[in-house]
């Protein structure tokens, strides 16, 4: 009886092994047939390996007193010392609160605007007018952050700026926009909306182009108004895209554009403009505290990962309940 059991088990195992080899061969054949697509993806994979995964080897310097002479593994191990130093520093509360407030405000304001713009442009009648509006809204994407901040300094200058000239014309006093802590967040968010909304709008326009026109025809037959068709057909059709991009935005919540924050930062507005990214730049490059800045950057990445996983779990749970 035992021999029969072992024989049958071995035969089953043999069949399983043969089936696994067949599946592997089938996968290789499919990859060989689609080699052009895999070749197209290859540069992105190489980029991820070289610039995303391989640098993770250097994360260990956050737990060491790193110096270039001893290298990664030769530098003395100090554990959580740099993290404790950051948490106990007087800069921690201000830097973290500035980052969270700016990130949340930027997400709540800058994220829905491209959706609204895409719905408006998609429903514009006339191909030439639609193309013109789309081009005007998309063109700021090609302007670099340095140029955008330079334009802000020129337009908002208290002496020669156009905005202050208009304020003075109406009897007001010139405002030092770039040197006022209370004006840093409105200027940062508004410039981000102006510069990046066009690119996000194009993504939603591509999703809107994939909606079946028969749905709109059926809605017209049923007597739906334009607003009802936008809400129940267009918005419902792009909702999966909106959810995916919102999850990615939440996962990237703490990664504020440090280039813009650093360029807009002055000694007068540092009270609100000092975020984690600019603090890492100052501690790591200007003050040569490499391990300390690496620990702060790692803390920021862990917070981003936690937010991404938490929101993704919430979305999955909500979707499961809706399907039930």
């Amino acid at each position: 009886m035992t021999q029969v059991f072992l024989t049958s088990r071995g035969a089953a195992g043999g069949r399983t092994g043969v089936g696994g080899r067949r599946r592997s061969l089938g996968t290789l054949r499919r990859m060989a047939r689609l080699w052009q697509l895999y070749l197209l993806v290859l540069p992105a994979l190489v980029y991820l390996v070289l610039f995303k995964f391989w640098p993770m080897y250097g994360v260990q310097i956050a737990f060491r007193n790193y110096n270039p002479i001893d290298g990664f593994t030769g530098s003395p191990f100090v554990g959580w010392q740099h993290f404790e130093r950051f948490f106990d520093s007087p800069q921690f509360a201000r830097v973290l609160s500035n980052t969270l407030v700016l990130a949340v405000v930027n997400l709540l304001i800058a994220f829905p605007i491209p959706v609204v713009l895409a719905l408006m442009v998609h429903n514009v009648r006339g191909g030439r007018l639609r193309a013109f509006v789309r081009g005007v809204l998309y063109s700021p994407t090609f302007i670099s952050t340095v140029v955008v901040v330079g334009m802000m300094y020129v337009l908002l200058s208290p002496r020669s700026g156009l905005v202050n000239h208009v304020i003075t014309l109406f009897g007001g006093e010139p405002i030092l926009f770039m040197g006022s802590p209370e004006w840093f967040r409105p200027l940062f968010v508004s410039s981000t909306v102006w510069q990046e909304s066009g690119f996000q709008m194009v993504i939603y326009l591509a999703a809107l182009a994939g909606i079946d026109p028969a749905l709109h025809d059926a809605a017209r037959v049923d007597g739906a108004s334009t607003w009802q068709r936008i809400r129940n057909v267009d918005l419902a059709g792009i909702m999966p895209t909106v959810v995916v991009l919102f999850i990615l935005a939440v996962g990237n919540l703490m990664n504020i554009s440090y280039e813009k924050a650093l360029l807009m930062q002055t000694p007068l507005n540092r009270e609100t403009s000092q975020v984690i990214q600019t603090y890492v730049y100052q501690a790591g490059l200007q003050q040569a505290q490499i391990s300390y800045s690496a620990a702060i950057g790692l803390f920021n990445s862990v917070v981003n990962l936690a937010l991404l996983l938490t929101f993704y779990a919430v979305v999955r749970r909500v979707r499961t309940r809706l399907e039930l």
Side-chain angles (χ1 to χ4, degrees):
M1 186 70 180
T2 305
Q3 184 178 1
V4 172
F5 173 74
L6 292 175
T7 303
S8 62
R9 185 178 180 183
R15 288 194 298 271
T16 303
V18 172
R21 286 194 294 271
R22 289 178 179 175
R23 286 192 296 270
S24 300
L25 291 175
T27 303
L28 292 176
R29 291 193 186 98
R30 287 193 297 271
M31 293 178 64
R33 287 197 302 268
L34 303 175
W35 65 270
Q36 297 94 338
L37 298 179
Y38 287 100
L39 184 63
L40 185 65
V41 176
L42 183 60
L45 294 177
V46 172
Y47 169 79
L48 288 176
V49 172
L50 292 180
F51 296 100
K52 299 298 181 180
F53 291 101
W54 176 251
M56 293 177 65
Y57 174 75
V59 170
Q60 60 179 304
I61 67 176
F63 304 93
R64 299 177 181 272
N65 278 330
Y66 174 75
N67 61 83
I69 298 177
D70 296 329
F72 289 150
T73 57
S75 300
F77 184 81
V78 296
W80 301 95
Q81 176 180 335
H82 300 298
F83 295 92
E84 294 174 354
R85 175 188 169 191
F86 176 57
F87 297 151
D88 294 336
S89 68
Q91 299 284 344
F92 174 71
R94 187 182 70 175
V95 169
L96 184 60
S97 62
N98 288 342
T99 306
L100 288 175
V101 171
L102 186 59
V104 172
V105 172
N106 191 50
L107 178 65
L108 294 179
I109 295 178
F111 184 82
I113 290 180
V115 180
V116 177
L117 292 177
L119 294 173
M120 293 174 61
V121 173
H122 182 71
N123 288 276
V124 171
R125 297 181 180 180
R128 293 184 179 179
L129 179 60
R130 182 186 304 174
F132 174 76
V133 174
R134 184 171 61 241
V136 170
L137 294 176
Y138 184 70
S139 56
T141 305
F142 298 100
I143 304 177
S144 67
T145 303
V146 177
V147 176
V148 171
V149 176
M151 293 169 58
M152 294 171 60
Y153 273 102
V154 171
L155 293 175
L156 301 176
S157 173
R159 293 184 179 180
S160 59
L162 178 62
V163 176
N164 276 304
H165 279 319
V166 174
I167 294 176
T168 306
L169 183 64
F170 284 94
E173 294 292 332
I175 301 175
L176 185 62
F177 287 100
M178 304 303 292
S180 302
E182 61 272 11
W183 278 103
F184 174 79
R185 290 166 185 159
L187 293 175
F188 186 95
V189 174
S190 59
S191 61
T192 300
V193 170
W194 179 77
Q195 185 181 10
E196 300 179 1
S197 293
F199 179 78
Q200 300 291 334
M201 178 196 67
V202 171
I203 298 177
Y204 295 122
L205 285 175
L208 287 169
I211 298 177
D212 190 356
L215 297 175
H216 284 281
D217 296 336
R220 290 191 187 96
V221 172
D222 291 338
S225 62
T226 302
W227 166 246
Q228 290 173 333
R229 287 189 289 108
I230 292 175
R231 183 183 59 185
N232 298 315
V233 178
D234 290 338
L235 189 58
I238 66 173
M239 190 53 64
T241 305
V242 174
V243 171
V244 170
L245 292 181
F246 189 73
I247 292 175
L248 295 177
V250 171
N252 204 37
L253 184 67
M254 301 286 286
N255 288 337
I256 298 173
S257 176
Y258 84 93
E259 298 96 340
K260 182 181 292 185
L262 186 63
L263 292 169
M264 292 178 60
Q265 187 177 94
T266 64
L268 298 176
N269 64 11
R270 190 165 295 176
E271 180 182 347
T272 56
S273 64
Q274 185 74 296
V275 294
I276 290 180
Q277 286 75 19
T278 58
Y279 187 59
V280 168
Y281 169 79
Q282 293 172 3
L285 295 182
Q286 294 183 344
Q287 302 174 9
Q289 303 181 59
I290 301 177
S291 296
Y292 180 59
S293 61
I296 301 173
L298 181 58
F299 165 77
N300 186 64
S301 300
V302 171
V303 173
N304 271 330
L305 180 61
L307 290 173
L308 175 62
L309 296 178
T310 302
F311 190 78
Y312 179 70
V314 171
V315 170
R316 286 191 60 184
R317 182 169 299 181
V318 171
R319 180 178 298 178
T320 303
R321 291 183 178 180
L322 291 176
E323 290 176 354
L324 293 177

